[in-house]
Amino acid sequence: MREIALPPQALPVPPDREGGGLYSWITSLDHKQIGMMYLMATFAFFIIGGAEALLMRTQLAVPNNTFLSPEAYNQLFTMHGTTMIFLVVMPMLIGFATYVVPLQVGARDIAYPRMNALSLWLLVFGGLLLYFSYLAGGAPNAGWFSYAPLSERPYTTTTGVDYWILGLLATGIGTIAAAINLIVTILTLRAPGMRMTRLPLFTWMVLVNSVLILCALPVLNASLVMLLIDRQLNAHFFAPQGGGSAILWEHFFWAFGHPEVYIMVLPAFGIISEVIPVFSRKAIFGYEFVAASTGAIAFLSLAVWGHHMFTVGFGRGGDLFFAVSSMLIAIPTGVKVLNWCATLWGGAIRFTTSMLFAVAFLAMFTIGGITGVSFAAVPIDWQVEDSYYVVAHMHYVLFGGSAFAIFAGLYYWFPKMTGRLLSEGWGKWHFWLTFVGFNLTFMIQHVLGMMGMPRRVFTYPDLPDWGRFNMISTAGAFVLGFSVLPFLWNVFASLRAGRPAGDNPWNAWTLEWATSSPPPEHNFDLVPPVRGRRPLWDLAHPDRPDPAPARLYGLGGRGPAPRPGDGAPEVSGPRLGMLCFIGAEAIFFVMLILAYVYYHSAAHTGVVAARVLDAGRAGINTVFLIASSATLWLGGKSLERRRGGALVAWLAATIVLGALFLVGQGREWLTLVQANVTVSRDLFGTTFFTLTGFHGLHVLLGLCLLAMLFGLAIARRFQGPTSAAIEAVALYWHFVDAVWIGIYSLIYLWALVG
Amino acid sequence: MTAWRFVEATWPWEPSVVLGCGALGLGYLAAVRGRLGGRTGSFLAGVLMLLFALDSPLDTLADTYLSSAHMAQHLLLLLVVPPLLLAGTPAFLVEPAWRSARVRALAQTLGRPVVAWTLGVGTIWVWHIPSLFNATLASGGVHLIEHGSFLVTGVIFWWAILAPLQEVRLAPVPAMLYLLAAALASSVLGILLTFARAGLYPAYLRPADVLGIAPLIRAGWGLSPETDQQIGGLLMWIPGGLVYLSAMLGVLMRWYRWDAEEAAAGAASAPDAPVPAPPPVSSGELHAR
C-alpha cells in the first residue's frame, strides 16, 4: 500500500476508550458496536420468529390437527409476520448499514451517534413491548396487517392490538431516525474524492432506501396513531359502524406496506452488489444501470400499493392502472438481475459461503419476483389472493431474497466485524441445509395455493394431497429450523478460536477493507485516496486503475465547468438532518389531512363544521403563530449581528407567542367539547381533534426546543454569526407554522366557503 | 358515429392556436438559422404536442365531454410541452437576454427551487378547486388564463431541471428530490380525484351533446361519469408520476455522464494530485465535530 502524506496540520489521533464490558456496550455510541448489537438483537428475534413458524407448521402438518387452538394460531401468525418484518429483516439491514456505511464512505462515525443509539434501543424496547403482550392478555391476533374492522374494539377485545400498535410506533420512530442518520452520513461525511457517483453500491442503495423509509414509515405511524385513537378513544377512523371506512385502513396500510417490502429488499440488493463482484473478481457490470434502476424501483414502489387490494373493488380503471404500474416494477428489477448475471459471466468465481448465498439469492429472488409479477395480472390475483400462493411468493422474496442476502452479508462482513474468519466447512453445511429446507418448505406451497388452500387458517380439511403437501412443507420447515444450528456453532467457535482475518481477507476493493479487522474506534488511521469506484484496486494497481465509466446519453448537452474540491459536501449536516425530519413529519401530516378531507367530502353525517368552528378566533391564533415565526427570524438576524441581548429577547417573544397559540387552541377545544363535539362523537370530531391535536403536540415540542435555545442564549453560548442549532430549530418552527396555515385553510376557511 | 368519424369530423383547426404554434415553430427555426439536430427535433416536438393538446379532438372531448380527456390535455400542457420546449432551446438563444441584470434577477427570484416548485405544483392544485375548475368550463377567457398559466408555470418549474444555461440548473441530488416531491404532491391530488365521489365537476355529469357522440362515449367506450372521473385522477397519478420518474432517471444518467467526463479530465491533467484537505469546521458551533 502506498504511503499517504499527512497534511502538515494533522493532529494526533485521540486515544480510544477503554473497551470491553457489558456496560460499555450498552452505553456505546460507536456505530460499529451499535451495528453489531442490531445484528445480535435481530438474530435473537429471528430465532423467536422462527420458533413461532415451526409451531404453526406443526399445527398444519396434518389435516384437522388439534395441536394449537385457533386463538393461539392467530396470535402466532400475527407475531411471526410482525416479528420477521419489523424486528428481523428491516432492522437487520439497518444494522448492516449502520456498521458498514460509515466505513464505506471513509467517515469516522455515523452523523448522529446518540440518535443512532436511540434507534437501536427503540428497536429493542419496541420488540420487548410487543412480546410483553403474550404475558398481558394475549398477543395481537389480527394479522400482521391488522385489517379494520377486525382490529377495532368491538371485534378484538384483548389488548394485543394495542401492544402491536405501540411496539410498532416505537420501532418505527427508531427506523426513521436511522434513515435520517444514514442520509446525512452519506451526503455530508464522505471522504475527499468520494463523489456521489463513486459510491459503493451498498451505500447507494442504503441512501435510496433511507429516502424510501422517510416516505413510507410516517404513513405507517399515522395509520397506527389513527387506529390507536379509534381503539382507545372510541373514534371512528376505520370503524364502519361509526361512519368510518375499513377500506381506508387498507389504503393507508398498503401505502406503507408496499414500499416496506422494497425497504426490506433494497439493502439486500446492495449486499449482493458487493458480494458478487468480489467473488467473481470483476467490477460490477453496468454500475450506472444498477444505480439508476434502484431509484426507479424506489419511486415506482410508491405507486403500486393497489395491487394488494385488487379484490376490494376499485373498478376496471383503477385495477388496470395498478396492474400496469406493478408490471413496470419488474423492469428495473430485471435490469439488476441481468447486471449481476453479467458480472458473474467470465469471472473467476470463488464459491465461498457468502457467494453461495448470493448466487442462491439470484435464483430464489427471481422465482419470487416472477410469481410477484403474476399477481399483477388482476384475474390471476383474484384467484390466488389470500391463498398459500401468496405465502410462497412472499417467502421466496423475503427469505430466498432478503434473508439469503443477509446471510451472504454476515459471512462477508463477519471477518471485518470480529477479526476472525468463519469456518467454510460449517458454512457450507449451513448453506445447503438452509437451501434445501427453504425450497422444501415453500416450493410446494405454490401448488397448495393453486389448489385453493387459504392462508391464515389454523387447520384444513382432509382434501386429496393437501395433507401430504403440508407434511412436506412442515418437514422442510424443520430442516430450515435446524439449519440455524451450524451457523450458531460456526459463530461461537470462530469467536473463540477462528483464524485471524487480517485487513482484507476477500481481497475486496471498498474502503471498509482499508482498515484493521475489527476497525479501531476511529475507523481509519489513514483514508486511502479515492479516485474511482474501487479505491483499493486503484491503489494496488496504479498502472491500470479502473477505466473511466462508459459514455452515456442523458438530458441536455455538456455538463458545467469542472468544480475544484472533489465531492466536498455543499449542504450542512444539521440543516440536512432537520430537513429530512421535516420531510417525514410532512408526510405524517399529509396522512392526517387526507383522512380529514376524505371524511369531509363524504356525505355529511352529524356535525357540520361551519356551525361549530369560529374562524375568526382561530384566525387570531394563526396571527400569533405567524408572528412567532417572524420573531424567530428576527432572532436569527440579531445573531448575525452578534447582538446576544436582542437574540434572547426575540427568543422569549417567540416562546410567548407560541404559548399564546397553544392557549388559544386549548380554548377552541374546550368550546367544542362543551358543545358536545368530541373525538368519539362523529367523523368531524375524530379527524379534527386528531389533526389539530398532533399539530399542537408539534408546537409543544417546538416550544421545548425554543426553551432550550433560550437557556443557551442566556448563558451566552451563541457567538454568532451563525448557529446550526438555531438554524435547525428555526426550520422546524417555520415548518410547524406552514402546517398550521395549511390546516387553518383546510378546516376553517373551507368550512366558511363549502 | 364511430370513433374514426368523430376524429375526422371534429378537428377544430382553431385559427389562433394554429397561427400561434406556426409562429412559434417558424420563429424558432429562424432563430437557430436552420441548424437541425436533436435539439431542434425536441423543440418542434414540443410545438406539435402543443398543437395537439390545444387543437385536436382531444380538445373537443376535453372542453365538453370527458374530464379524463381534459386531464390528459392538462398533463400534456404541464408535463410534456414545457420540458420539450426547454430541452430544445439552445444556450445561445438565451444568453443575450441573460446579460441584462434585470432579467437575471427576475430569473433568479422565480427560479429559486422553493418558488419554482410551489408555482409549478400549486398551479395544479389551485385549478382543481371545484369552483375555479367549473369557471374554466363556463368561460372561455378563464380557460385561456388557465392554459396560459399552465404553460408559464410549467416552464418555470422545468427551468430548474432543463434550463438552457447549465449553471442555472439544480445540482443532481436536489434536482431529484425536487422532482420526487413534485411527483408525490401531484400524486396526492391524483389520489384525491380518483377516490372522490362522482360529480366533483358537475359539467361532466351530463354534457351538452352538440356533436351527438354521447352514446359513443357512454356505451361504446364504456365511460360512465364515475369511471371518467376515476380515470382522470389515475392519469394524473400514474402516468403523471412516470413523467417525473423519467425526469429523475434522466437527471441521474446525465449526472453520471458529466461526472465521468469531469473525472477523466481531472485524471488526465493531474494523476498524482494530492488528496484535498478536509473542510474546516466553522466557528460559532456549539459542538465541533
Side-chain angles (χ1 to χ4, degrees):
Chain A
M1 191 162 138
R2 286 198 314 186
E3 279 306 309
I4 300 167
L6 277 176
Q9 67 268 35
L11 297 169
V13 174
D16 287 342
R17 282 191 314 167
E18 299 297 309
L22 186 62
Y23 182 73
S24 83
W25 275 83
I26 293 179
T27 55
S28 173
L29 296 180
D30 175 23
H31 76 99
K32 298 184 290 299
Q33 287 188 313
I34 291 176
M36 285 194 278
M37 284 192 280
Y38 258 110
L39 294 175
M40 290 189 274
T42 51
F43 205 84
F45 280 122
F46 177 63
I47 306 285
I48 298 174
E52 285 163 341
L54 284 179
L55 287 170
M56 285 195 283
R57 285 291 349 149
T58 311
Q59 162 66 14
L60 290 174
V62 294
N64 300 313
N65 204 354
T66 51
F67 174 65
L68 292 172
S69 73
E71 178 57 31
Y73 189 85
N74 293 350
Q75 292 181 15
L76 281 175
F77 72 64
T78 306
M79 289 299 277
H80 168 76
T82 310
T83 303
M84 287 306 193
I85 290 178
F86 292 101
L87 302 178
V88 178
V89 176
M90 194 165 54
M92 208 174 238
L93 292 171
I94 290 179
F96 272 120
T98 307
Y99 190 101
V100 172
V101 165
L103 284 166
Q104 275 194 342
V105 299
R108 187 201 181 288
D109 201 326
I110 208 168
Y112 305 118
R114 280 183 188 78
M115 196 161 79
N116 198 15
L118 176 71
S119 297
L120 168 71
W121 293 112
L122 277 175
L123 167 75
V124 172
F125 286 119
L128 288 176
L129 187 61
L130 178 67
Y131 271 88
F132 182 72
S133 61
Y134 271 124
L135 303 173
N141 55 2
W144 87 270
F145 34 85
S146 228
Y147 270 5
L150 178 63
S151 52
E152 298 270 359
R153 246 312 144 74
Y155 301 102
T156 304
T157 47
T158 63
T159 51
V161 176
D162 298 300
Y163 280 101
W164 182 82
I165 293 173
L166 292 171
L168 289 188
L169 274 173
T171 59
I173 293 173
T175 307
I176 294 179
I180 296 176
N181 227 333
L182 289 165
I183 291 177
V184 176
T185 306
I186 296 172
L187 291 182
T188 61
L189 295 182
R190 282 165 285 135
M194 184 168 291
R195 306 148 164 267
M196 292 292 290
T197 52
R198 290 176 180 161
L199 283 180
L201 278 173
F202 178 72
T203 301
W204 172 257
M205 297 203 190
V206 166
L207 177 65
V208 174
N209 192 48
S210 302
V211 174
L212 197 55
I213 288 178
L214 287 187
C215 291
L217 266 289
V219 175
L220 174 70
N221 286 347
S223 315
L224 290 174
V225 150
M226 288 190 256
L227 185 62
L228 189 64
I229 290 177
D230 263 11
R231 286 177 59 86
Q232 295 299 328
L233 298 179
N234 295 317
H236 305 289
F237 280 107
F238 310 116
Q241 61 268 34
S245 166
I247 305 294
L248 192 64
W249 168 264
E250 284 195 48
H251 277 295
F252 281 359
F253 187 84
W254 287 116
F256 150 76
H258 193 81
E260 166 67 6
V261 310
Y262 287 95
I263 291 170
M264 287 194 281
V265 96
L266 281 181
F269 287 163
I271 297 177
I272 299 300
S273 304
E274 297 288 329
V275 169
I276 286 189
V278 166
F279 293 113
S280 317
R281 307 312 301 158
K282 269 177 77 186
I284 192 157
F285 187 90
Y287 174 100
E288 297 84 0
F289 282 90
V290 178
S293 61
T294 310
I297 289 177
F299 181 93
L300 282 171
S301 73
L302 295 168
V304 297
W305 78 80
H307 68 225
H308 296 270
M309 297 168 64
F310 279 146
T311 49
V312 153
F314 277 147
R316 263 202 348 242
D319 283 348
L320 181 66
F321 275 88
F322 278 118
V324 169
S325 56
S326 303
M327 291 184 199
L328 280 177
I329 283 204
I331 296 178
T333 318
V335 163
K336 281 207 172 58
V337 171
L338 291 173
N339 276 300
W340 289 323
C341 292
T343 310
L344 285 171
W345 187 274
I349 301 180
R350 214 181 118 206
F351 279 108
T352 57
T353 312
S354 180
M355 185 59 158
L356 281 170
F357 273 111
V359 172
F361 167 95
L362 282 183
M364 301 294 103
F365 182 79
T366 305
I367 294 176
I370 290 178
T371 54
V373 174
S374 73
F375 279 108
V378 178
I380 297 183
D381 185 273
W382 284 357
Q383 285 298 108
V384 295
E385 175 70 14
D386 272 343
S387 73
Y388 262 80
Y389 189 80
V390 182
V391 177
H393 157 70
M394 88 170 90
H395 283 93
Y396 263 87
V397 286
L398 283 178
F399 197 111
S402 302
F404 274 30
I406 287 173
F407 283 127
L410 281 172
Y411 280 92
Y412 183 61
W413 279 308
F414 183 92
K416 175 56 56 181
M417 295 181 186
T418 60
R420 307 274 191 177
L421 287 172
L422 283 170
S423 149
E424 284 297 317
W426 281 110
K428 296 202 162 56
W429 271 102
H430 173 216
F431 171 72
W432 286 110
L433 279 174
T434 307
F435 185 75
V436 168
F438 165 74
N439 279 295
L440 207 53
T441 312
F442 293 110
M443 184 54 83
I444 199 98
Q445 288 184 1
H446 290 106
V447 182
L448 274 172
M450 294 277 195
M451 292 199 300
M453 179 173 175
R455 63 189 285 209
R456 308 158 131 212
V457 287
F458 81 107
T459 191
Y460 52 92
D462 192 6
L463 293 169
D465 284 332
W466 282 35
R468 211 180 8 230
F469 289 169
N470 270 292
M471 178 58 81
I472 294 175
S473 188
T474 301
F478 274 92
V479 172
L480 200 50
F482 284 121
S483 75
V484 178
L485 298 176
F487 176 72
L488 288 174
W489 172 254
N490 201 351
V491 169
F492 176 68
S494 301
L495 282 174
R496 284 227 317 214
R499 271 181 310 146
D503 285 6
N504 194 356
W506 312 123
N507 225 333
W509 311 299
T510 41
L511 284 183
E512 76 265 31
W513 305 104
T515 181
S516 62
S517 306
E521 191 184 350
H522 52 277
N523 285 352
F524 294 96
D525 285 325
L526 295 168
V527 179
V530 179
R531 294 206 188 91
R533 289 173 179 153
R534 298 191 296 167
L536 295 191
W537 169 275
D538 292 340
L539 212 52
H541 303 91
D543 48 318
R544 43 190 182 108
D546 264 346
R551 294 192 63 83
L552 295 164
Y553 290 103
L555 297 175
R558 280 193 341 268
R563 302 179 298 272
D566 233 5
E570 292 124 19
V571 59
S572 90
R575 185 185 167 87
L576 179 62
M578 184 52 83
L579 285 173
C580 289
F581 178 65
I582 287 174
E585 293 301 284
I587 294 185
F588 180 84
F589 274 111
V590 163
M591 298 304 292
L592 298 181
I593 288 174
L594 278 177
Y596 182 87
V597 169
Y598 180 79
Y599 288 121
H600 193 75
S601 59
H604 286 285
T605 53
V607 173
V608 175
R611 282 214 310 262
V612 298
L613 292 177
D614 185 344
R617 198 171 51 204
I620 296 177
N621 267 350
T622 310
V623 167
F624 283 147
L625 203 59
I626 297 180
S628 71
S629 254
T631 53
L632 189 56
W633 181 76
L634 287 167
K637 284 275 169 271
S638 59
L639 179 68
E640 263 176 50
R641 294 187 216 115
R642 300 176 194 267
R643 294 178 41 205
L647 172 65
V648 171
W650 287 124
L651 280 175
T654 310
I655 294 176
V656 165
L657 287 166
L660 281 174
F661 172 82
L662 278 183
V663 166
Q665 275 290 84
R667 282 183 51 203
E668 173 84 358
W669 285 5
L670 202 57
T671 316
L672 283 171
V673 168
Q674 278 166 349
N676 203 17
V677 179
T678 57
V679 174
S680 55
R681 175 167 159 183
D682 61 9
L683 283 165
F684 169 75
T686 299
T687 49
F688 172 83
F689 280 108
T690 305
L691 188 49
T692 53
F694 271 97
H695 178 262
L697 275 176
H698 279 74
V699 171
L700 190 60
L701 173 66
L703 287 180
C704 295
L705 293 172
L706 287 167
M708 281 196 276
L709 289 184
F710 181 73
L712 288 168
I714 287 190
R716 311 236 187 121
R717 297 290 295 276
F718 294 119
Q719 305 303 322
T722 57
S723 158
I726 293 185
E727 195 187 327
V729 174
L731 275 174
Y732 175 79
W733 190 253
H734 297 319
F735 164 72
V736 169
D737 282 0
V739 171
W740 176 253
I741 293 175
I743 293 178
Y744 180 72
S745 319
L746 183 68
I747 298 182
Y748 291 88
L749 295 182
W750 190 9
L752 281 182
V753 166
Chain B
M1 151 120 42
T2 66
W4 179 242
R5 293 262 312 276
F6 161 68
V7 169
E8 276 186 306
T10 62
W11 205 290
W13 295 117
E14 276 262 349
S16 57
V17 177
V18 175
L19 285 175
C21 289
L24 190 60
L26 290 172
Y28 174 81
L29 284 173
V32 298
R33 277 167 222 115
R35 249 181 290 181
L36 296 176
R39 197 168 287 209
T40 322
S42 169
F43 193 92
L44 292 175
V47 173
L48 278 173
M49 281 281 113
L50 187 61
L51 186 64
F52 176 74
L54 292 178
D55 187 39
S56 67
L58 185 68
D59 182 61
T60 316
L61 285 175
D63 279 345
T64 327
Y65 289 97
L66 287 175
S67 75
S68 52
H70 206 158
M71 180 65 74
Q73 183 187 47
H74 286 180
L75 288 175
L76 285 175
L77 289 177
L78 274 165
L79 296 182
V80 177
V81 171
L84 285 174
L85 293 180
L86 275 177
T89 311
F92 64 83
L93 278 183
V94 178
E95 265 156 18
W98 204 251
R99 277 182 236 129
S100 141
R102 218 182 297 170
V103 169
R104 262 205 314 275
L106 178 69
Q108 266 154 11
T109 327
L110 282 180
R112 288 168 59 110
V114 176
V115 174
W117 190 93
T118 311
L119 278 175
V121 173
T123 312
I124 306 176
W125 277 80
V126 161
W127 282 114
H128 279 91
I129 297 174
S131 45
L132 287 176
F133 194 95
N134 293 331
T136 66
L137 292 177
S139 152
V142 180
H143 209 162
L144 194 63
I145 296 176
E146 182 199 38
H147 285 179
S149 74
F150 282 148
L151 287 170
V152 169
T153 55
V155 169
I156 294 176
F157 177 86
W158 288 101
W159 181 266
I161 311 289
L162 288 172
L165 298 167
Q166 317 292 353
E167 59 269 17
V168 168
R169 297 182 185 176
L170 279 179
V173 173
M176 289 193 281
L177 290 173
Y178 178 88
L179 290 167
L180 176 67
L184 290 178
S186 63
S187 294
V188 170
L189 182 60
I191 293 169
L192 284 175
L193 291 173
T194 308
F195 295 111
R197 56 180 160 58
L200 202 57
Y201 307 120
Y204 290 114
L205 280 177
R206 267 180 307 276
D209 191 10
V210 176
L211 293 169
I213 56 171
L216 173 67
I217 293 178
R218 295 277 179 253
W221 296 347
L223 289 175
S224 67
E226 295 81 21
T227 312
D228 174 41
Q229 188 172 292
Q230 201 187 41
I231 291 182
L234 287 166
L235 277 175
M236 175 186 279
W237 184 3
I238 298 193
L242 287 178
V243 171
Y244 290 111
L245 170 66
S246 312
M248 280 164 66
L249 289 179
V251 167
L252 187 67
M253 298 310 251
R254 177 175 73 180
W255 186 21
Y256 278 118
R257 194 168 66 115
W258 290 350
D259 230 53
E261 288 171 355
E262 208 173 299
S269 59
D272 282 309
V275 177
V281 177
S282 55
S283 61
E285 292 297 306
L286 277 182
H287 301 286
R289 270 205 58 80

